[in-house]
Amino acid sequence: MGDTLTCPECGAEIESMDDLETGHEVAEVEPQDDGSFNLFENKDLFLCKGCKRPLGVKKLQ
């Protein structure tokens, strides 16, 4: 059995991927010492279906 996540915004119990909204993409950013940044591969952003609060990103392999 997997873990359960509770949304800190609305209190929804997240028990499976069916309880999340997916498909949003965010860029991974790495800041450099000179203040610039590098963009890396987009990651899928997972949102609470109840309130749309971001709860995590897909782990890169």
Side-chain angles (χ1 to χ4, degrees):
M1 185 170 189
D3 295 323
T4 300
L5 174 68
T6 302
C7 177
E9 187 72 26
C10 69
E13 293 290 322
I14 312 300
E15 296 178 359
S16 71
M17 292 302 292
D18 291 336
D19 297 328
L20 295 172
E21 184 174 306
T22 60
H24 299 76
E25 291 186 349
V26 294
E28 184 177 357
V29 177
E30 181 181 344
Q32 303 298 306
D33 291 336
D34 66 0
S36 64
F37 59 88
N38 289 328
L39 294 176
F40 295 98
E41 181 179 340
N42 285 341
K43 295 183 175 183
D44 289 328
L45 177 64
F46 298 101
L47 306 175
C48 173
K49 276 190 176 178
C51 67
K52 309 297 187 242
R53 184 180 198 272
L55 296 176
V57 293
K58 181 178 178 181
K59 182 178 178 182
L60 293 177
Q61 307 293 330

